[in-house]
Amino acid sequence: MKHFTHISDLGIDGVSRILDRAMEWKQHDPGAVFEGRLLGMLFFNPSLRTRVSFEAAMLRSGGHAIVIDVNSGSWKLEHASGIRMDGDRPEHIREAIPVLGGYVDALAVRCFAQGELEQDEADALIRSIASHSPIPVVSMESAREHPCQGLADMLTLREQFGALQGRRITLSWAPHIKPLPRAVPNSLVLSAAACGCHVTVAHPPGLELHAAVLQQAQELARQSGGEIATSHDQTAACADADVVYGKSWGPAEPSAFSGLATEHADWMIDMPLLQAGSQASHFMHCLPVRRNVVVSDAVLDSELSLVVPQAHNRLHVQRSLLHDIFNGDAT
Ligand code: CP
């Protein structure tokens, strides 16, 4: 039984297979390929795109999706082992996940990071859910990764530029009002590395991605012909990039956040940054995005912004992925 919770579950060949099928099916609708299939969607955190794109992928393909919102309309779920359950969580995942496994064919799960770097890197909650699940588990974003976002990002790049080999992507940290998780930047780097892109991660000192993620990306890049670099110079890193991918994330030590965000407010992405090189860079972001905090109105409202097609591509990569999941083909 196969799960898809991390890019490593697909590997380089799997990523390529999902993207190929997503492109093909986007051009030629495959019809009711999920007829009779049920997807459970377990949300520990809110969503707009992920919820609707997964539901739409199921419904448009003849299947059905059932949303379970852990914070309203369902029991709060405990996941810690060996504790006395006398708090506000009356049900444990050890029962809830096997129960759901008897109702649906696959279970998609969203469970965000808690802001503790080493625990988030270990990704204990989604790994625990997968270990208790009798059916395939698909990540809709966990502490470490948002792999479906990474796949949609690569599909968007393929549509925009064609072959991804050697494509120059700069992931630029951007300011925010609070320290955000690292799942999206992690998945962007890992997905782009798997596709042979030349990735530069630009951020102020103190905001390094986890060494294990960068090491994994380096290994993928070694196999795919890609490159991974880091920079503290936003302007140099963005000049001549094909795409500037804006995203905020928090420091390893959350208490360091407010000082860093204030000090580096000038990292907001604006037109002069995208136009610094010999040709303008496109802009990507996973959404939701705070206008004029992370990125300016001028960028989002320009033809350089790919954020809407990027969000639309969530549906297409997830339909392709779910085909593998329902047919037991995920590696
Ligand atoms: N990008 C993304 O996952 O959006 P949502 O949080 O709205 O699902």
Side-chain angles (χ1 to χ4, degrees):
M1 203 259 306
K2 308 294 187 185
H3 302 297
F4 175 63
T5 52
H6 300 88
I7 284 293
S8 58
D9 294 325
L10 284 177
I12 291 173
D13 291 346
V15 167
S16 179
R17 180 179 69 247
I18 299 299
L19 296 180
D20 287 347
R21 187 190 299 121
M23 283 200 87
E24 184 189 330
W25 282 3
K26 188 170 178 179
Q27 285 155 14
H28 307 288
D29 194 308
V33 286
F34 299 155
E35 194 167 353
R37 301 289 193 176
L38 285 179
L39 177 69
M41 299 172 65
L42 185 63
F43 284 96
F44 289 81
N45 309 97
S47 165
L48 187 150
R49 281 145 291 274
T50 302
R51 173 177 174 159
V52 179
S53 59
F54 264 103
E55 280 200 65
M58 289 301 296
L59 296 172
R60 287 185 178 280
S61 305
H64 194 80
I66 300 170
V67 172
I68 308 115
D69 188 338
V70 173
N71 292 313
S72 72
S74 180
W75 305 115
K76 287 189 176 175
L77 296 179
E78 182 57 70
H79 51 85
S81 295
I83 67 158
R84 185 163 180 267
M85 289 172 53
D86 58 356
D88 68 343
R89 298 174 181 177
E91 179 154 21
H92 203 283
I93 62 169
R94 284 173 177 264
E95 287 77 47
I97 299 304
V99 165
L100 291 172
Y103 299 149
V104 295
D105 300 303
L107 189 62
V109 178
R110 167 164 281 202
C111 50
F112 283 176
Q114 300 302 305
E116 204 293 309
L117 191 63
E118 294 307 325
Q119 285 178 19
D120 291 342
E121 162 63 21
D123 224 356
L125 179 52
I126 201 160
R127 292 188 194 281
S128 179
I129 288 171
S131 76
H132 294 300
S133 177
I135 57 172
V137 170
V138 177
S139 173
M140 298 192 293
E141 184 173 344
S142 67
R144 188 182 199 260
E145 293 181 32
H146 192 354
C148 290
Q149 182 68 54
L151 292 171
D153 297 340
M154 293 306 106
L155 181 61
T156 308
L157 288 170
R158 261 207 203 180
E159 288 180 327
Q160 187 68 34
F161 298 111
L164 296 185
Q165 190 73 43
R167 196 58 59 194
R168 292 162 302 179
I169 302 172
T170 293
L171 168 63
S172 175
W173 180 87
H176 202 275
I177 62 165
K178 58 185 178 182
L180 295 183
R182 293 154 172 241
V184 168
N186 288 347
S187 290
L188 186 275
V189 171
L190 294 170
S191 303
C195 291
C197 297
H198 292 189
V199 183
T200 301
V201 185
H203 56 79
L207 286 155
E208 290 72 21
L209 295 183
H210 197 287
V213 172
L214 290 175
Q215 193 175 355
Q216 185 186 347
Q218 293 280 10
E219 177 55 26
L220 283 167
R222 191 188 62 73
Q223 295 170 36
S224 69
E227 290 177 8
I228 307 293
T230 59
S231 172
H232 292 158
D233 184 336
Q234 187 190 35
T235 303
C238 293
D240 293 324
D242 294 305
V243 165
V244 173
Y245 196 115
K247 188 72 185 83
S248 191
W249 63 88
E253 181 48 61
S255 62
F257 172 75
S258 63
L260 283 171
T262 307
E263 185 182 349
H264 300 294
D266 60 346
W267 278 61
M268 186 184 87
I269 293 162
D270 202 353
M271 271 300 189
L273 184 69
L274 299 187
Q275 294 172 331
S278 55
Q279 60 184 42
S281 308
H282 283 79
F283 175 76
M284 293 176 71
H285 189 282
C286 62
L287 303 181
V289 69
R290 288 181 182 264
R291 282 173 172 254
N292 304 312
V293 174
V294 173
V295 56
S296 69
D297 281 338
V299 169
L300 284 171
D301 296 334
S302 77
E303 292 186 350
L304 295 174
S305 173
L306 300 176
V307 299
V308 172
Q310 197 182 339
H312 289 166
N313 279 335
R314 291 289 305 280
L315 186 158
H316 298 288
V317 294
Q318 288 156 198
R319 183 167 57 167
S320 175
L321 175 72
L322 286 168
H323 177 78
D324 273 12
I325 294 290
F326 290 136
N327 290 285
D329 293 338
T331 52

